[in-house]
Structures are given as structure tokens and as C-alpha cells.
Amino acid sequence: QVQLVESGGGLVQAGGSLRLACEVSGLTFSQYAMGWFRQAPGKEREFAAAISRSGGSFLLADSVKGRFTISRDSAKKMVYLQMNSLKADDTAVYYCAARQFLATTRAYDYSYWGQGTQVTVSS
């Protein structure tokens, strides 16, 4: 049974930082690219960041470049999203997702999803 469990969300002031974590189980972690997506109230789910199977390459949405960093720990089967200089527009539910082989920016490419963690940035 594949499980992706996010943690680390919360309430933070604008300009602050949060680190999201996603614990992965039930799949061969090295075969999966990992992504972070987010969905704000009343909006469609959007891409935030993705990382390759090896961790050697990554993709970032323009809106988070220079502020967010994605990383993975193969030994722990964990994926992280370090979020700095947070803005009110970053408020959303953040989802971790897994896709076999190549990382992409499209949500429909990802096969497995976590339940999400709420991030709220107060201005």
C-alpha cells in the first residue's frame, strides 16, 4: 500500500519560513520522481516544485523560484520543501505526489498523492 504523508504545515507570518516534509512508503523510492503541488481556496491545484529520482535535477514554478527549495533523502524515503520569504499568496494546501521515472509539472502525470498539509501565511 502506497502512502505519502505530509507534515510541517502551519501558520506563519509573511516573510517567514516553513519546511514541509513528505514521508513515502509502499513504493520503490528510487524509481519515483517527487513533486509538490498546492491548492488555494477556489483555485485549481498548481505545480510548485519537483525533483528527479536521483535528486540531481529539479523543477520550480516561476512563482516560487528563489524562495523554495525541494530536496529528497533516499535513505529516509523523505521529500522536503523548504519555503522561505513566504507571502500571503503562498497560502494553500500543499500536496506531495509521486510519479514513476521523470519529473514533470503536470498534476495528472502523478500517480500517488498525500492528504495535504495546510500552509497559511498571514500578512
Side-chain angles (χ1 to χ4, degrees):
Q1 180 183 358
V2 177
Q3 283 192 313
L4 282 67
V5 180
E6 302 96 334
S7 61
L11 174 64
V12 63
Q13 288 188 333
S17 298
L18 281 176
R19 188 194 195 206
L20 305 184
C22 175
E23 184 176 7
V24 181
S25 61
L27 53 77
T28 305
F29 192 62
S30 62
Q31 292 184 359
Y32 284 79
M34 300 299 300
W36 285 96
F37 292 78
R38 64 186 186 180
Q39 187 167 18
K43 295 187 177 181
E44 293 186 355
R45 191 169 297 189
E46 66 173 14
F47 170 75
I51 189 166
S52 65
R53 288 174 290 165
S54 68
S57 62
F58 54 86
L59 303 169
L60 291 170
D62 287 344
S63 59
V64 307
K65 282 180 181 176
R67 302 188 298 121
F68 289 13
T69 303
I70 186 171
S71 61
R72 64 191 290 162
D73 185 328
S74 295
K76 296 181 179 179
K77 293 188 177 182
M78 298 286 293
V79 183
Y80 305 99
L81 186 67
Q82 178 67 44
M83 305 186 296
N84 300 327
S85 302
L86 283 161
K87 307 174 182 178
D89 285 348
D90 295 319
T91 294
V93 177
Y94 282 72
Y95 297 91
C96 175
R99 178 180 193 262
Q100 200 165 19
F101 304 130
L102 299 178
T104 72
T105 63
R106 298 181 297 265
Y108 59 76
D109 285 337
Y110 288 76
S111 303
Y112 302 105
W113 292 82
Q115 81 290 348
T117 186
Q118 176 70 48
V119 171
T120 303
V121 183
S122 63
S123 56

